[in-house]
């Protein structure tokens, strides 16, 4: 019975992908608390994450394929949008972003 269980586990398949990266400002400093929102255009499925203190983010469990639209936004910074991103099965996709300080006031 143990052999059957081990065989089943070893044949488990990865059916998703991961999007991750780092967000910095125009001076190269990591920006914490940035919202990274990825939308799978064909299905409308939305995934999201925020950057940690080192400006890094990870969005696991995403559908493979694409296209995706990824929006990087934070209060006090200009939003950045990336389009036509496609994710491969089981392969992490790295999307690093640079955001600029916004000159608009609330």
């Amino acid at each position: 019975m143990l052999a059957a269980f081990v065989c089943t586990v070893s044949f488990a398949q990865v059916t998703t992908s991961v999007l991750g990266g780092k967000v910095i400002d125009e001076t190269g400093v990591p920006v914490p608390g940035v919202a990274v929102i990825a939308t799978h255009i064909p299905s409308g499925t939305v995934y999201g994450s925020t950057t940690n203190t080192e400006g890094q983010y990870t969005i696991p469990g995403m559908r493979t394929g694409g296209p995706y639209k990824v929006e990087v936004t934070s209060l006090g910074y200009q939003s950045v949008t990336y389009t036509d991103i496609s994710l491969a099965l089981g392969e992490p996709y790295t999307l690093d972003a640079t955001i600029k300080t916004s000159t608009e006031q609330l």
Side-chain angles (χ1 to χ4, degrees), residues 16-92:
T16 60
S17 190
V18 175
L19 175 67
K22 187 172 186 175
V23 179
I24 59 172
D25 66 13
E26 65 267 18
T27 64
V29 176
V31 185
V34 175
V36 181
I37 308 298
T39 304
H40 185 251
I41 301 301
S43 68
T45 306
V46 178
Y47 304 90
S49 182
T50 56
T51 58
N52 63 16
T53 56
E54 284 112 31
Q56 298 174 337
Y57 70 94
T58 303
I59 307 175
M62 296 178 68
R63 288 179 174 234
T64 58
Y68 276 92
K69 176 178 79 169
V70 179
E71 298 174 283
V72 181
T73 62
S74 183
L75 189 60
Y77 293 91
Q78 297 175 5
S79 297
V80 179
T81 302
Y82 299 90
T83 56
D84 295 324
I85 294 173
S86 290
L87 304 179
L89 181 63
E91 292 184 24

